[in-house]
């Protein structure tokens, strides 16, 4: 006997939140059959994509994956064998739901009161992994079981809450003073101070000074936010590399291009959170701020102890990395991409001591003679 197909109602949004630092919207959506947690990256743009994670079923669990629902663009209910709650479904308490963003701003957790329900970490989206759910069992199709990872993720959520609470009131004065001390210990009294945050969170500045005929412009505040994706590359060492400041140094003869480079630094200082990526040692970025040069090479002063650089205290238990911007000519840029940073550093004219100081010339006068 065939009856009329049950009419489905429109999904309901139970909770939503925007990342404090990245263009990502978090949504909790309930349909007739299930609830899902979504992270919507770059919403409303041609680059938009979604990460999703099952939270729970709100109706009787199906025996198998509902392929038809997926073909109709509907969120699929979790099959019964992977469900860790009442087989007839459960309902979330909408009034008790809250979303906590991880420090990097590209991952989030869903809580019901104090109970951790679901997590979409930064490393989700690989090899069929969507995220963790309290109500999933084992390595289920649309979520993995939360229990084995709950202790670690619970601590991560608590730390993230404390992190964002830090920015509630008056944080900038202490941060600003910390950076001023580090920079003035390095190049003496500041000569110029530029706000480069555009009036938006978080506060950022560029501070300029001169020491021994070298003009320096170094950011302060970029390191307030840890960069996304660093953990996926550095794992346990992520805290050593996820916070950066940016700097440019030029000889007296090249001082007239400093303002152009400072403006450029202001523009690129938000790249990690705009692109949901990170900047690090050896990375290159196109740059036309200096005539005859087409890119900048980022070099981490912590990894090049021969170079002069400010000494920073740890911030929230993390290292602060100063990335020097080293201008590259087009041919240098091309060759660097071929041979990599480690080999290129061996070919520097004059060695590493002056690598961070721009003197108007290329850094690799022998680079074109290198065979790859």
């Amino acid at each position: 006997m065939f009856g009329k197909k049950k009419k489905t109602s429109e999904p309901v949004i139970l909770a939503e939140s925007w990342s404090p630092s990245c263009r990502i919207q978090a949504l909790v959506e309930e349909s007739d059959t299930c609830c899902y947690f979504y992270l919507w990256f770059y919403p409303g743009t041609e680059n938009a994509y979604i990460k999703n994670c099952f939270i729970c079923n709100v109706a009787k669990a199906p025996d198998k994956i509902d392929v038809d629902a997926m073909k109709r663009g509907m969120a699929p209910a979790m099959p019964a064998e992977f469900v860790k709650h009442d087989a007839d479904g459960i309902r979330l308490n909408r009034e008790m739901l809250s979303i906590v963003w991880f420090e990097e701003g590209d991952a989030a957790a869903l809580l019901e009161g104090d109970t951790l329900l679901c997590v979409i970490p930064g490393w989700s989206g690989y090899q069929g992994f969507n995220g963790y759910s309290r109500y999933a069992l084992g390595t289920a199709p649309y979520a993995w079981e939360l229990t084995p990872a709950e202790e670690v993720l619970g601590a991560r959520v608590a730390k993230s809450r404390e992190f964002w609470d830090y920015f509630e009131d008056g944080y900038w004065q202490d941060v600003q003073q910390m950076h001023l001390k580090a920079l003035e210990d390095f190049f003496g009294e500041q000569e110029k101070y530029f706000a480069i945050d555009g009036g938006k969170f978080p506060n950022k500045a560029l501070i300029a000074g001169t020491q021994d005929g070298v003009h320096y412009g170094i950011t302060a505040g970029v390191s307030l936010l840890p960069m996304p994706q660093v953990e996926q590359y550095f794992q346990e060492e992520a805290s050593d590399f996820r916070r950066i400041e940016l700097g440019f140094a030029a000889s007296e003869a090249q001082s007239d291009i400093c303002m152009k480079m400072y403006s450029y630094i202001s523009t690129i200082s938000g790249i990690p959170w705009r692109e949901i990526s990170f900047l690090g040692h050896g990375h290159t970025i196109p740059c036309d701020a200096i005539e005859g040069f087409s890119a900048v090479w980022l070099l981490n002063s912590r990894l090049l102890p021969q170079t002069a650089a400010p000494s920073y205290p740890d911030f929230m238990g993390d290292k602060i990395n100063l990335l020097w911007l080293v201008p590259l000519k087009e041919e240098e840029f091309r060759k660097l991409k071929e041979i990599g940073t480690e080999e290129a550093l061996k070919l520097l004219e004059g060695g590493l001591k002056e690598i961070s100081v721009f003197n108007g010339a290329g850094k690799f006068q022998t680079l074109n003679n290198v065979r790859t």
Side-chain angles (χ1 to χ4, degrees), residues 325-351:
L325 276 67
V326 178
L328 297 175
K329 293 178 177 291
E330 179 60 31
E331 61 271 20
E332 295 177 319
F333 184 30
R334 287 199 304 268
K335 189 61 69 171
L336 177 62
K337 288 190 288 186
E338 292 177 20
I339 68 175
T341 287
E342 185 175 348
E343 288 302 312
L345 286 173
K346 299 174 184 177
L347 305 173
L348 290 172
E349 295 293 328

PDB file of all heavy atoms in Angstrom, residues 325-351:
ATOM      1  N   LEU A 325      60.731  40.795   5.737  1.00  0.00           N
ATOM      2  CA  LEU A 325      60.358  40.825   4.324  1.00  0.00           C
ATOM      3  C   LEU A 325      61.600  41.175   3.510  1.00  0.00           C
ATOM      4  O   LEU A 325      62.148  42.278   3.634  1.00  0.00           O
ATOM      5  CB  LEU A 325      59.267  41.868   4.063  1.00  0.00           C
ATOM      6  CG  LEU A 325      57.816  41.442   4.303  1.00  0.00           C
ATOM      7  CD1 LEU A 325      57.551  41.188   5.788  1.00  0.00           C
ATOM      8  CD2 LEU A 325      56.856  42.507   3.792  1.00  0.00           C
ATOM      9  N   VAL A 326      62.049  40.238   2.699  1.00  0.00           N
ATOM     10  CA  VAL A 326      63.235  40.428   1.875  1.00  0.00           C
ATOM     11  C   VAL A 326      62.806  40.552   0.417  1.00  0.00           C
ATOM     12  O   VAL A 326      62.309  39.585  -0.172  1.00  0.00           O
ATOM     13  CB  VAL A 326      64.204  39.239   2.043  1.00  0.00           C
ATOM     14  CG1 VAL A 326      65.430  39.420   1.143  1.00  0.00           C
ATOM     15  CG2 VAL A 326      64.620  39.089   3.504  1.00  0.00           C
ATOM     16  N   PRO A 327      62.942  41.729  -0.208  1.00  0.00           N
ATOM     17  CA  PRO A 327      62.529  41.909  -1.600  1.00  0.00           C
ATOM     18  C   PRO A 327      63.344  41.037  -2.557  1.00  0.00           C
ATOM     19  O   PRO A 327      64.555  40.870  -2.393  1.00  0.00           O
ATOM     20  CB  PRO A 327      62.771  43.398  -1.864  1.00  0.00           C
ATOM     21  CG  PRO A 327      62.749  44.033  -0.505  1.00  0.00           C
ATOM     22  CD  PRO A 327      63.362  43.013   0.402  1.00  0.00           C
ATOM     23  N   LEU A 328      62.664  40.485  -3.560  1.00  0.00           N
ATOM     24  CA  LEU A 328      63.302  39.626  -4.559  1.00  0.00           C
ATOM     25  C   LEU A 328      63.042  40.160  -5.960  1.00  0.00           C
ATOM     26  O   LEU A 328      61.926  40.578  -6.273  1.00  0.00           O
ATOM     27  CB  LEU A 328      62.747  38.205  -4.480  1.00  0.00           C
ATOM     28  CG  LEU A 328      62.970  37.403  -3.204  1.00  0.00           C
ATOM     29  CD1 LEU A 328      62.233  36.073  -3.291  1.00  0.00           C
ATOM     30  CD2 LEU A 328      64.457  37.183  -2.943  1.00  0.00           C
ATOM     31  N   LYS A 329      64.074  40.115  -6.799  1.00  0.00           N
ATOM     32  CA  LYS A 329      63.884  40.385  -8.221  1.00  0.00           C
ATOM     33  C   LYS A 329      63.183  39.191  -8.856  1.00  0.00           C
ATOM     34  O   LYS A 329      63.166  38.097  -8.294  1.00  0.00           O
ATOM     35  CB  LYS A 329      65.228  40.652  -8.897  1.00  0.00           C
ATOM     36  CG  LYS A 329      65.914  41.944  -8.443  1.00  0.00           C
ATOM     37  CD  LYS A 329      67.256  42.107  -9.108  1.00  0.00           C
ATOM     38  CE  LYS A 329      67.911  43.437  -8.707  1.00  0.00           C
ATOM     39  NZ  LYS A 329      67.202  44.599  -9.264  1.00  0.00           N
ATOM     40  N   GLU A 330      62.614  39.403 -10.048  1.00  0.00           N
ATOM     41  CA  GLU A 330      61.831  38.353 -10.687  1.00  0.00           C
ATOM     42  C   GLU A 330      62.638  37.070 -10.883  1.00  0.00           C
ATOM     43  O   GLU A 330      62.153  35.967 -10.615  1.00  0.00           O
ATOM     44  CB  GLU A 330      61.284  38.844 -12.037  1.00  0.00           C
ATOM     45  CG  GLU A 330      60.471  37.800 -12.797  1.00  0.00           C
ATOM     46  CD  GLU A 330      59.249  37.315 -12.034  1.00  0.00           C
ATOM     47  OE1 GLU A 330      58.679  38.100 -11.244  1.00  0.00           O
ATOM     48  OE2 GLU A 330      58.883  36.138 -12.204  1.00  0.00           O
ATOM     49  N   GLU A 331      63.874  37.209 -11.349  1.00  0.00           N
ATOM     50  CA  GLU A 331      64.677  36.006 -11.591  1.00  0.00           C
ATOM     51  C   GLU A 331      65.019  35.295 -10.287  1.00  0.00           C
ATOM     52  O   GLU A 331      65.098  34.063 -10.231  1.00  0.00           O
ATOM     53  CB  GLU A 331      65.958  36.351 -12.371  1.00  0.00           C
ATOM     54  CG  GLU A 331      66.905  37.316 -11.684  1.00  0.00           C
ATOM     55  CD  GLU A 331      66.618  38.777 -12.002  1.00  0.00           C
ATOM     56  OE1 GLU A 331      65.474  39.075 -12.432  1.00  0.00           O
ATOM     57  OE2 GLU A 331      67.533  39.608 -11.832  1.00  0.00           O
ATOM     58  N   GLU A 332      65.202  36.056  -9.219  1.00  0.00           N
ATOM     59  CA  GLU A 332      65.456  35.461  -7.909  1.00  0.00           C
ATOM     60  C   GLU A 332      64.220  34.722  -7.411  1.00  0.00           C
ATOM     61  O   GLU A 332      64.323  33.619  -6.857  1.00  0.00           O
ATOM     62  CB  GLU A 332      65.837  36.553  -6.910  1.00  0.00           C
ATOM     63  CG  GLU A 332      67.141  37.257  -7.208  1.00  0.00           C
ATOM     64  CD  GLU A 332      67.424  38.389  -6.229  1.00  0.00           C
ATOM     65  OE1 GLU A 332      66.490  39.135  -5.868  1.00  0.00           O
ATOM     66  OE2 GLU A 332      68.583  38.505  -5.820  1.00  0.00           O
ATOM     67  N   PHE A 333      63.078  35.341  -7.612  1.00  0.00           N
ATOM     68  CA  PHE A 333      61.805  34.752  -7.206  1.00  0.00           C
ATOM     69  C   PHE A 333      61.599  33.403  -7.896  1.00  0.00           C
ATOM     70  O   PHE A 333      61.254  32.395  -7.269  1.00  0.00           O
ATOM     71  CB  PHE A 333      60.678  35.737  -7.538  1.00  0.00           C
ATOM     72  CG  PHE A 333      59.305  35.310  -7.099  1.00  0.00           C
ATOM     73  CD1 PHE A 333      59.106  34.521  -5.991  1.00  0.00           C
ATOM     74  CD2 PHE A 333      58.188  35.747  -7.822  1.00  0.00           C
ATOM     75  CE1 PHE A 333      57.831  34.156  -5.586  1.00  0.00           C
ATOM     76  CE2 PHE A 333      56.915  35.384  -7.438  1.00  0.00           C
ATOM     77  CZ  PHE A 333      56.734  34.584  -6.318  1.00  0.00           C
ATOM     78  N   ARG A 334      61.844  33.377  -9.206  1.00  0.00           N
ATOM     79  CA  ARG A 334      61.662  32.138  -9.963  1.00  0.00           C
ATOM     80  C   ARG A 334      62.620  31.046  -9.487  1.00  0.00           C
ATOM     81  O   ARG A 334      62.230  29.900  -9.293  1.00  0.00           O
ATOM     82  CB  ARG A 334      61.874  32.392 -11.463  1.00  0.00           C
ATOM     83  CG  ARG A 334      60.763  33.161 -12.136  1.00  0.00           C
ATOM     84  CD  ARG A 334      60.827  32.967 -13.650  1.00  0.00           C
ATOM     85  NE  ARG A 334      62.135  33.338 -14.191  1.00  0.00           N
ATOM     86  CZ  ARG A 334      62.428  34.543 -14.650  1.00  0.00           C
ATOM     87  NH1 ARG A 334      61.511  35.504 -14.636  1.00  0.00           N
ATOM     88  NH2 ARG A 334      63.629  34.804 -15.144  1.00  0.00           N
ATOM     89  N   LYS A 335      63.875  31.413  -9.305  1.00  0.00           N
ATOM     90  CA  LYS A 335      64.865  30.426  -8.893  1.00  0.00           C
ATOM     91  C   LYS A 335      64.609  29.923  -7.480  1.00  0.00           C
ATOM     92  O   LYS A 335      64.786  28.724  -7.190  1.00  0.00           O
ATOM     93  CB  LYS A 335      66.268  31.021  -8.997  1.00  0.00           C
ATOM     94  CG  LYS A 335      67.379  30.007  -8.785  1.00  0.00           C
ATOM     95  CD  LYS A 335      67.342  28.889  -9.813  1.00  0.00           C
ATOM     96  CE  LYS A 335      67.717  29.377 -11.193  1.00  0.00           C
ATOM     97  NZ  LYS A 335      67.881  28.257 -12.144  1.00  0.00           N
ATOM     98  N   LEU A 336      64.184  30.818  -6.610  1.00  0.00           N
ATOM     99  CA  LEU A 336      63.870  30.418  -5.239  1.00  0.00           C
ATOM    100  C   LEU A 336      62.767  29.364  -5.224  1.00  0.00           C
ATOM    101  O   LEU A 336      62.817  28.390  -4.453  1.00  0.00           O
ATOM    102  CB  LEU A 336      63.457  31.642  -4.416  1.00  0.00           C
ATOM    103  CG  LEU A 336      63.024  31.359  -2.963  1.00  0.00           C
ATOM    104  CD1 LEU A 336      64.167  30.751  -2.164  1.00  0.00           C
ATOM    105  CD2 LEU A 336      62.535  32.648  -2.297  1.00  0.00           C
ATOM    106  N   LYS A 337      61.769  29.547  -6.057  1.00  0.00           N
ATOM    107  CA  LYS A 337      60.673  28.576  -6.121  1.00  0.00           C
ATOM    108  C   LYS A 337      61.171  27.211  -6.609  1.00  0.00           C
ATOM    109  O   LYS A 337      60.591  26.182  -6.267  1.00  0.00           O
ATOM    110  CB  LYS A 337      59.544  29.089  -7.022  1.00  0.00           C
ATOM    111  CG  LYS A 337      58.754  30.242  -6.402  1.00  0.00           C
ATOM    112  CD  LYS A 337      57.498  30.566  -7.187  1.00  0.00           C
ATOM    113  CE  LYS A 337      57.810  31.233  -8.496  1.00  0.00           C
ATOM    114  NZ  LYS A 337      56.576  31.674  -9.208  1.00  0.00           N
ATOM    115  N   GLU A 338      62.242  27.219  -7.374  1.00  0.00           N
ATOM    116  CA  GLU A 338      62.791  25.958  -7.891  1.00  0.00           C
ATOM    117  C   GLU A 338      63.645  25.229  -6.851  1.00  0.00           C
ATOM    118  O   GLU A 338      63.537  24.018  -6.688  1.00  0.00           O
ATOM    119  CB  GLU A 338      63.646  26.223  -9.134  1.00  0.00           C
ATOM    120  CG  GLU A 338      62.872  26.686 -10.350  1.00  0.00           C
ATOM    121  CD  GLU A 338      63.806  26.992 -11.517  1.00  0.00           C
ATOM    122  OE1 GLU A 338      64.953  26.483 -11.500  1.00  0.00           O
ATOM    123  OE2 GLU A 338      63.393  27.739 -12.423  1.00  0.00           O
ATOM    124  N   ILE A 339      64.504  25.971  -6.158  1.00  0.00           N
ATOM    125  CA  ILE A 339      65.480  25.307  -5.289  1.00  0.00           C
ATOM    126  C   ILE A 339      65.102  25.308  -3.817  1.00  0.00           C
ATOM    127  O   ILE A 339      65.658  24.533  -3.036  1.00  0.00           O
ATOM    128  CB  ILE A 339      66.881  25.925  -5.468  1.00  0.00           C
ATOM    129  CG1 ILE A 339      66.924  27.361  -4.938  1.00  0.00           C
ATOM    130  CG2 ILE A 339      67.312  25.856  -6.916  1.00  0.00           C
ATOM    131  CD1 ILE A 339      68.318  27.968  -4.982  1.00  0.00           C
ATOM    132  N   GLY A 340      64.171  26.168  -3.411  1.00  0.00           N
ATOM    133  CA  GLY A 340      63.735  26.189  -2.029  1.00  0.00           C
ATOM    134  C   GLY A 340      64.610  27.057  -1.133  1.00  0.00           C
ATOM    135  O   GLY A 340      65.756  27.402  -1.463  1.00  0.00           O
ATOM    136  N   THR A 341      64.065  27.394   0.031  1.00  0.00           N
ATOM    137  CA  THR A 341      64.724  28.328   0.949  1.00  0.00           C
ATOM    138  C   THR A 341      66.047  27.796   1.494  1.00  0.00           C
ATOM    139  O   THR A 341      67.045  28.524   1.568  1.00  0.00           O
ATOM    140  CB  THR A 341      63.779  28.682   2.107  1.00  0.00           C
ATOM    141  OG1 THR A 341      62.748  29.553   1.609  1.00  0.00           O
ATOM    142  CG2 THR A 341      64.509  29.392   3.240  1.00  0.00           C
ATOM    143  N   GLU A 342      66.086  26.532   1.884  1.00  0.00           N
ATOM    144  CA  GLU A 342      67.298  25.992   2.501  1.00  0.00           C
ATOM    145  C   GLU A 342      68.499  26.115   1.573  1.00  0.00           C
ATOM    146  O   GLU A 342      69.586  26.538   1.986  1.00  0.00           O
ATOM    147  CB  GLU A 342      67.076  24.531   2.891  1.00  0.00           C
ATOM    148  CG  GLU A 342      68.242  23.934   3.658  1.00  0.00           C
ATOM    149  CD  GLU A 342      67.960  22.522   4.135  1.00  0.00           C
ATOM    150  OE1 GLU A 342      66.801  22.077   4.081  1.00  0.00           O
ATOM    151  OE2 GLU A 342      68.935  21.859   4.554  1.00  0.00           O
ATOM    152  N   GLU A 343      68.321  25.750   0.304  1.00  0.00           N
ATOM    153  CA  GLU A 343      69.419  25.854  -0.648  1.00  0.00           C
ATOM    154  C   GLU A 343      69.734  27.310  -0.989  1.00  0.00           C
ATOM    155  O   GLU A 343      70.901  27.697  -1.139  1.00  0.00           O
ATOM    156  CB  GLU A 343      69.080  25.086  -1.930  1.00  0.00           C
ATOM    157  CG  GLU A 343      69.105  23.578  -1.774  1.00  0.00           C
ATOM    158  CD  GLU A 343      70.464  23.068  -1.306  1.00  0.00           C
ATOM    159  OE1 GLU A 343      71.482  23.488  -1.908  1.00  0.00           O
ATOM    160  OE2 GLU A 343      70.504  22.272  -0.357  1.00  0.00           O
ATOM    161  N   ALA A 344      68.693  28.124  -1.103  1.00  0.00           N
ATOM    162  CA  ALA A 344      68.894  29.526  -1.462  1.00  0.00           C
ATOM    163  C   ALA A 344      69.710  30.269  -0.408  1.00  0.00           C
ATOM    164  O   ALA A 344      70.546  31.124  -0.737  1.00  0.00           O
ATOM    165  CB  ALA A 344      67.554  30.214  -1.674  1.00  0.00           C
ATOM    166  N   LEU A 345      69.485  29.956   0.861  1.00  0.00           N
ATOM    167  CA  LEU A 345      70.214  30.647   1.923  1.00  0.00           C
ATOM    168  C   LEU A 345      71.719  30.404   1.842  1.00  0.00           C
ATOM    169  O   LEU A 345      72.511  31.212   2.321  1.00  0.00           O
ATOM    170  CB  LEU A 345      69.681  30.204   3.297  1.00  0.00           C
ATOM    171  CG  LEU A 345      68.302  30.758   3.685  1.00  0.00           C
ATOM    172  CD1 LEU A 345      67.820  30.130   4.971  1.00  0.00           C
ATOM    173  CD2 LEU A 345      68.341  32.278   3.815  1.00  0.00           C
ATOM    174  N   LYS A 346      72.104  29.305   1.223  1.00  0.00           N
ATOM    175  CA  LYS A 346      73.530  29.003   1.079  1.00  0.00           C
ATOM    176  C   LYS A 346      74.191  29.880   0.012  1.00  0.00           C
ATOM    177  O   LYS A 346      75.417  29.958  -0.062  1.00  0.00           O
ATOM    178  CB  LYS A 346      73.727  27.535   0.711  1.00  0.00           C
ATOM    179  CG  LYS A 346      73.206  26.553   1.750  1.00  0.00           C
ATOM    180  CD  LYS A 346      73.308  25.123   1.228  1.00  0.00           C
ATOM    181  CE  LYS A 346      72.708  24.129   2.214  1.00  0.00           C
ATOM    182  NZ  LYS A 346      72.741  22.733   1.680  1.00  0.00           N
ATOM    183  N   LEU A 347      73.379  30.524  -0.832  1.00  0.00           N
ATOM    184  CA  LEU A 347      73.904  31.279  -1.972  1.00  0.00           C
ATOM    185  C   LEU A 347      73.907  32.782  -1.758  1.00  0.00           C
ATOM    186  O   LEU A 347      74.185  33.545  -2.672  1.00  0.00           O
ATOM    187  CB  LEU A 347      73.071  30.952  -3.223  1.00  0.00           C
ATOM    188  CG  LEU A 347      72.951  29.465  -3.579  1.00  0.00           C
ATOM    189  CD1 LEU A 347      71.967  29.275  -4.710  1.00  0.00           C
ATOM    190  CD2 LEU A 347      74.317  28.920  -3.970  1.00  0.00           C
ATOM    191  N   LEU A 348      73.580  33.214  -0.558  1.00  0.00           N
ATOM    192  CA  LEU A 348      73.484  34.648  -0.296  1.00  0.00           C
ATOM    193  C   LEU A 348      74.807  35.366  -0.496  1.00  0.00           C
ATOM    194  O   LEU A 348      75.864  34.887  -0.081  1.00  0.00           O
ATOM    195  CB  LEU A 348      73.013  34.887   1.146  1.00  0.00           C
ATOM    196  CG  LEU A 348      71.565  34.518   1.462  1.00  0.00           C
ATOM    197  CD1 LEU A 348      71.334  34.636   2.953  1.00  0.00           C
ATOM    198  CD2 LEU A 348      70.618  35.415   0.711  1.00  0.00           C
ATOM    199  N   GLU A 349      74.726  36.520  -1.132  1.00  0.00           N
ATOM    200  CA  GLU A 349      75.904  37.385  -1.237  1.00  0.00           C
ATOM    201  C   GLU A 349      76.135  38.048   0.129  1.00  0.00           C
ATOM    202  O   GLU A 349      75.285  38.766   0.636  1.00  0.00           O
ATOM    203  CB  GLU A 349      75.666  38.457  -2.300  1.00  0.00           C
ATOM    204  CG  GLU A 349      75.512  37.910  -3.703  1.00  0.00           C
ATOM    205  CD  GLU A 349      76.796  37.285  -4.230  1.00  0.00           C
ATOM    206  OE1 GLU A 349      77.876  37.761  -3.850  1.00  0.00           O
ATOM    207  OE2 GLU A 349      76.715  36.323  -4.999  1.00  0.00           O
ATOM    208  N   GLY A 350      77.275  37.759   0.734  1.00  0.00           N
ATOM    209  CA  GLY A 350      77.581  38.386   2.013  1.00  0.00           C
ATOM    210  C   GLY A 350      77.092  37.607   3.222  1.00  0.00           C
ATOM    211  O   GLY A 350      77.234  38.081   4.346  1.00  0.00           O
ATOM    212  N   GLY A 351      76.479  36.434   3.003  1.00  0.00           N
ATOM    213  CA  GLY A 351      76.032  35.622   4.121  1.00  0.00           C
ATOM    214  C   GLY A 351      74.732  36.110   4.731  1.00  0.00           C
ATOM    215  O   GLY A 351      74.043  36.973   4.199  1.00  0.00           O
TER     216      GLY A 351
END
